[in-house]
Amino acid sequence: MVEDVTDLYREFGENRLPPGQRQTDRFPVLSKSGTPDYNPADWRFEVYGAVDEQLTYDLDSFAALPHVRQRQDFHCVTGWSRFDCEFAGVPFTEIADRAGVDADAEHVLFHALDGYTTDLPLSACRREEVLFADGLDGEDLPADHGGPVRVVTPHKYAYKGAKWVTGVEFRTEPQRGYWEKRGYSETANPWNEERYS
């Protein structure tokens, strides 16, 4: 069963398409430095920082975690939106609950295979729509779209959804990520056009 969460925009604005965006059926590929190579046998997903228990998953153990399927919209800060993406993945809350997040943790820093990082408040991640996605439109998540695992954050511009995720760090203080250090918005709300700081 696919859960449709495309109506989340009602929390943020009147229109499904955020201002300044154009809708496309294509799914452009953007990254800071191209698609990184990795050995599936060596891939690890680590959960650490302000948690009760640090966790590590390989591809098989990650695939065995409880998964959901959701229909989401995807908004790129460069000005395009793709409606009705069908992502499959592990809910952020599933990972957070398994690790046991410390009471003083307020931020999450996502780490990626290519050195990319991005930060979000923990409160912005504890939503049902935030997934560690390993599937797209009924197939495994393609490498150029962040496979084997990426984060999806349909209530934020997509640079907050790190591709090629290898870790999630729970923090007591924020730490600016790759694009945030280069002038992009830390809040990244598409309906307020929060593109740049």
Side-chain angles (χ1 to χ4, degrees):
M1 177 180 151
V2 180
E3 181 185 10
D4 191 328
V5 297
T6 57
D7 63 350
L8 70 76
Y9 73 87
R10 292 190 174 102
E11 292 182 44
F12 305 100
E14 295 182 2
N15 298 310
R16 184 175 173 184
L17 187 68
Q21 298 291 104
R22 65 187 183 286
Q23 185 182 351
T24 180
D25 293 328
R26 297 174 55 246
F27 204 159
V29 173
L30 300 171
S31 65
K32 76 176 185 69
S33 54
T35 302
D37 291 324
Y38 77 100
N39 183 342
D42 296 334
W43 181 87
R44 296 294 183 270
F45 176 88
E46 298 180 320
V47 184
Y48 57 98
V51 294
D52 296 336
E53 182 179 358
Q54 296 191 17
L55 305 172
T56 302
Y57 299 96
D58 61 15
L59 279 175
D60 289 340
S61 57
F62 185 88
L65 290 169
H67 278 57
V68 299
R69 292 167 61 201
Q70 291 184 356
R71 184 172 297 110
Q72 301 186 353
D73 296 338
F74 190 98
H75 307 296
C76 182
V77 71
T78 61
W80 57 267
S81 294
R82 184 179 190 254
F83 286 173
D84 298 320
C85 303
E86 185 181 310
F87 286 107
V90 179
F92 176 91
T93 52
E94 178 75 28
I95 297 294
D97 291 348
R98 284 173 180 260
V101 180
D102 292 352
D104 58 349
E106 295 184 356
H107 280 262
V108 177
L109 189 68
F110 298 102
H111 295 264
L113 190 64
D114 62 347
Y116 185 83
T117 56
T118 190
D119 170 89
L120 276 172
L122 177 58
S123 58
C125 296
R126 280 195 173 277
R127 298 179 58 100
E128 67 169 335
E129 307 93 356
V130 178
L131 305 179
F132 294 103
D134 56 5
L136 172 64
D137 295 338
E139 305 286 345
D140 289 343
L141 183 67
D144 58 354
H145 283 299
V149 177
R150 72 167 299 153
V151 181
V152 289
T153 55
H155 59 310
K156 302 291 183 181
Y157 286 124
Y159 67 87
K160 290 293 188 178
K163 299 164 83 169
W164 311 297
V165 172
T166 57
V168 54
E169 178 185 358
F170 290 87
R171 299 177 52 87
T172 57
E173 296 179 353
Q175 179 176 315
R176 288 188 300 164
Y178 179 85
W179 284 119
E180 293 89 342
K181 290 176 182 176
R182 290 159 174 79
Y184 281 64
S185 169
E186 294 183 31
T187 49
N189 181 330
W191 289 272
N192 290 340
E193 290 199 86
E194 295 167 358
R195 302 178 195 270
Y196 307 107
S197 299

